Amino acid sequence: MELPADSNHDDIDTSQVPGTVHLVDLEHTMATRHARDQKDIVLIPTPSADPDDPLNWAPRRKYLALACALLYTWFNGMALSVVYSVLVPLSSALSVTEGDLNAGTGYMFLLLGWGLLFWQPFALQYGKRLTYLVSLLALTAITIWGPYARGNGQWIANRILTGFFAAPIEALPETSIADLFFAHERATYMGWYAWTLAGSNFFAPIICGFINDGVGYRWVFFIPAIFCAATWVFLFFFMEETNYDRRTVGIVAANSDSLVAPTPDSEKEKGASASADPADGIERPRSPEDRPSAATKTFWQKMAILDKPRPFMMHYRAWQSLKLLSWPVVFYSGFSYGTYLVYFNILNATSSIILGSPPYNFRPSFVGLTYVSCVIGVSIGSAFTGVFSDRFIIRLARKNKGVSEPEHRLWLFAVSTLVIPSSLILWGVGAAHEVHWFGLVFAMGTTAFANTVSITLSVSYLIDTYRDISGDALTTCILIRNVMSFAIGYGITPWLENLGYQNCFISVAFVGLALCGVFLVMIRWGKRLREMKRVEYWREVKKRIDLGLVH
């Protein structure tokens, strides 16, 4: 049952390995909340009886919150990716070498990670809505400054500030999705997030090349800034706060009065209420007044800038994110995410150079157009690790007596582990032998597919395992990912110059095969590694419940 405010947490099963959950009620004997459209699917975490609990929101309210997070991700991501297809013209216009332009991107990625040590605790302390708004407003101003950042010093400063203020894109939308959706459906919406995150990074070069050719390099920055400003207005009027202080974790037994067998009249009432509200397959509790759950906040209460007061814990959360570096599952999630991002960065760092040089001689607009294949790859990857991933883990749970393990999802990495080395060899060796441009464009698309797979699977594995501390664990994950991305920015240029395209990318491909294959180690020993941190995890969860820090 639900914990009272002064609970000693005796009813939390600390013997349970974090992440191992009874997802499918095969025998229909579990006295807890189930999905309405799939009667044997258990809702994890169990929502409270509060109608303002985001897990209890009506579908349209959830989807509006999701749409706001995705819009933020899309236009934030576009503002971060404006330079990839215009490196050559931008270099001459700003008096910055191509090497320094790429170095600036490296600093940006570094701050996209380390900036989360401030932004993620800030969002969980003062509100996600406030964080989205401040981040987007600052990013708009810095993007407008971009075409005036002449010289290496100003350019590096611009990229550092861009990375810091854009940093919430890396973890906050995933946290918002975890606030809104249950375990059996979460990866579907993570797939949507992965599509907007990776898709925006690939869509920006498509249009920026044409913008540069048509109206000049300054508008490569101005147009994304305009869209960021418009998105800020939309978020100001429609984005709702999803922070919610949860008093329970995992699966909670239902109260006895909610377990009474349904009567024909009650079934009619349920059908009437369902028709009045778009169905999302989730049964909602009745409020204490015995009426259907409905929002209890007014419009202006929903649009409040600041979240409710909480004990100041920003420093504690930042320190916890650093401590989580020693947790194997958290480290693996960041390592896996970072491994695939490294290859995404290699592709971006070399696409303009390879395709803009003989024998291809693509103009910036044509270089940008090749990223259409990346958008296609992202779309396929999002569907594969989104909708298909959720169905896949439910299927495996049914075969495992209803029990779902976070490692079940990792089997899907088998596809991307084979795709990455194949794509890198086609890209590098193909460029060295001057293959038809379609071969290179195809390699771009398959690399984008693998990168998207890593986003959804790495993040979903982390949240499936440690949902109750996922806000801080995601910061750790992104720190690892972006440090790896920053490092490769300095390594790829000398690697290419010393080995040439063919030998460089052959070596990169086999290193990639070894690194991506680490998922097999986690499938074999992941549960044992989760068991190692079981006591420490539940101790931290109990502490956070007392402080009102579980969302």
Side-chain angles (χ1 to χ4, degrees):
M1 61 180 60
E2 194 168 49
L3 298 171
D6 58 350
S7 171
N8 60 7
H9 313 294
D10 287 342
D11 44 2
I12 293 182
D13 183 6
T14 57
S15 66
Q16 186 77 16
V17 179
T20 298
V21 293
H22 203 134
L23 181 63
V24 184
D25 185 8
L26 296 174
E27 311 246 330
H28 303 280
T29 56
M30 296 178 65
T32 189
R33 299 274 298 280
H34 292 65
R36 183 170 53 201
D37 56 347
Q38 294 176 287
K39 294 293 187 182
D40 58 350
I41 300 297
V42 178
L43 297 183
I44 304 171
T46 303
S48 68
D50 183 358
D52 280 323
D53 180 349
L55 292 173
N56 287 326
W57 287 0
R60 60 180 176 274
R61 192 174 173 191
K62 286 188 177 186
Y63 292 144
L64 179 58
L66 176 66
C68 288
L70 296 183
L71 279 172
Y72 168 86
T73 303
W74 180 266
F75 290 110
N76 185 325
M78 283 192 63
L80 295 177
S81 309
V82 295
V83 304
Y84 294 139
S85 63
V86 293
L87 282 174
V88 175
L90 201 61
S91 176
S92 59
L94 297 182
S95 301
V96 180
T97 67
E98 291 177 24
D100 287 336
L101 287 175
N102 280 327
T105 302
Y107 284 112
M108 180 184 75
F109 272 104
L110 190 65
L111 266 295
L112 282 169
W114 287 96
L116 282 177
L117 286 176
F118 171 80
W119 287 113
Q120 194 75 347
F122 181 87
L124 298 172
Q125 179 76 46
Y126 298 109
K128 297 184 180 75
R129 170 176 159 80
L130 174 64
T131 306
Y132 281 117
L133 293 175
V134 172
S135 166
L136 203 55
L137 187 63
L139 184 62
T140 301
I142 295 166
T143 304
I144 292 172
W145 172 36
Y148 301 104
R150 298 182 63 84
N152 184 54
Q154 285 195 49
W155 177 253
I156 296 297
N158 178 274
R159 294 294 88 187
I160 287 174
L161 289 175
T162 298
F164 176 75
F165 283 104
I169 190 178
E170 304 286 10
L172 203 54
E174 298 103 300
T175 310
S176 297
I177 289 170
D179 291 341
L180 293 165
F181 299 103
F182 297 96
H184 73 280
E185 60 184 357
R186 193 182 299 134
T188 297
Y189 301 105
M190 285 294 179
W192 292 16
Y193 163 73
W195 187 87
T196 55
L197 180 66
S200 63
N201 283 304
F202 291 124
F203 182 73
I206 295 175
I207 63 171
C208 286
F210 288 101
I211 292 171
N212 177 73
D213 288 353
V215 291
Y217 75 94
R218 284 193 173 94
W219 285 93
V220 169
F221 294 88
F222 292 162
I223 290 177
I226 291 169
F227 278 108
C228 283
T231 303
W232 185 90
V233 174
F234 184 86
L235 265 57
F236 183 83
F237 286 105
F238 295 105
M239 171 162 262
E240 193 171 346
E241 180 59 60
T242 61
N243 276 355
Y244 182 80
D245 296 343
R246 205 164 293 284
R247 300 299 307 173
T248 62
V249 296
I251 299 174
V252 181
N255 295 325
S256 59
D257 59 349
S258 67
L259 301 175
V260 178
T263 64
D265 290 339
S266 67
E267 289 294 327
K268 289 180 182 178
E269 291 175 7
K270 183 185 292 185
S273 64
S275 63
D277 203 16
D280 62 347
I282 306 301
E283 291 194 56
R284 290 178 175 76
R286 289 183 176 271
S287 67
E289 291 79 14
D290 197 31
R291 56 178 173 78
S293 295
T296 58
K297 294 181 180 179
T298 66
F299 174 80
W300 293 113
Q301 286 175 327
K302 292 178 183 178
M303 295 301 109
I305 298 297
L306 282 174
D307 196 13
K308 71 176 189 179
R310 292 183 177 87
F312 184 80
M313 298 295 289
M314 283 183 62
H315 59 296
Y316 175 79
R317 286 188 178 278
W319 175 240
Q320 282 299 109
S321 294
L322 295 175
K323 286 177 64 177
L324 290 173
L325 286 166
S326 64
W327 289 35
V329 167
V330 178
F331 185 86
Y332 167 74
S333 297
F335 174 80
S336 169
Y337 199 165
T339 297
Y340 286 88
L341 182 66
V342 160
Y343 301 120
F344 160 75
N345 287 344
I346 290 173
L347 184 147
N348 275 328
T350 56
S351 62
S352 185
I353 298 169
I354 290 176
L355 295 174
S357 305
Y360 307 106
N361 296 317
F362 282 12
R363 298 199 308 270
S365 56
F366 284 2
V367 173
L369 203 57
T370 62
Y371 279 82
V372 170
S373 70
C374 296
V375 175
I376 295 172
V378 166
S379 301
I380 297 172
S382 299
F384 176 64
T385 53
V387 177
F388 177 77
S389 172
D390 278 336
R391 294 176 180 176
F392 181 73
I393 64 162
I394 290 174
R395 182 183 179 91
L396 290 186
R398 292 188 194 281
K399 292 183 176 181
N400 194 36
K401 300 180 180 179
V403 177
S404 177
E405 305 283 1
E407 289 76 27
H408 287 170
R409 207 182 293 274
L410 297 184
W411 281 111
L412 300 180
F413 267 131
V415 177
S416 58
T417 299
L418 297 177
V419 166
I420 275 292
S422 306
S423 302
L424 291 170
I425 289 174
L426 179 56
W427 175 257
V429 177
H433 290 271
E434 301 181 352
V435 299
H436 191 274
W437 60 264
F438 181 79
L440 302 186
V441 171
F442 184 83
M444 293 170 70
T446 51
T447 304
F449 164 84
N451 181 59
T452 308
V453 166
S454 80
I455 296 173
T456 309
L457 294 185
S458 300
V459 172
S460 294
Y461 179 53
L462 176 60
I463 294 177
D464 286 347
T465 304
Y466 298 130
R467 186 203 177 276
D468 302 306
I469 62 169
S470 60
D472 299 322
L474 280 167
T475 300
T476 313
C477 173
I478 301 302
L479 275 175
I480 298 166
R481 189 206 76 167
N482 282 22
V483 168
M484 294 174 66
S485 176
F486 174 75
I488 198 63
Y490 284 93
I492 187 59
T493 301
W495 207 351
L496 278 172
E497 290 175 349
N498 292 329
L499 295 181
Y501 286 127
Q502 177 168 305
N503 292 336
C504 173
F505 278 93
I506 288 176
S507 62
V508 168
F510 282 98
V511 170
L513 180 63
L515 295 179
C516 295
V518 174
F519 83 94
L520 294 170
V521 175
M522 296 305 295
I523 287 176
R524 177 66 180 84
W525 289 289
K527 187 168 185 177
R528 187 178 302 176
L529 295 173
R530 288 186 282 124
E531 167 67 28
M532 286 170 50
K533 293 294 180 180
R534 174 179 57 83
V535 175
E536 195 172 344
Y537 173 72
W538 290 120
R539 185 190 307 126
E540 181 65 24
V541 169
K542 290 177 180 180
K543 181 176 181 180
R544 289 176 182 234
I545 290 176
D546 284 338
L547 295 172
L549 300 180
V550 173
H551 298 290

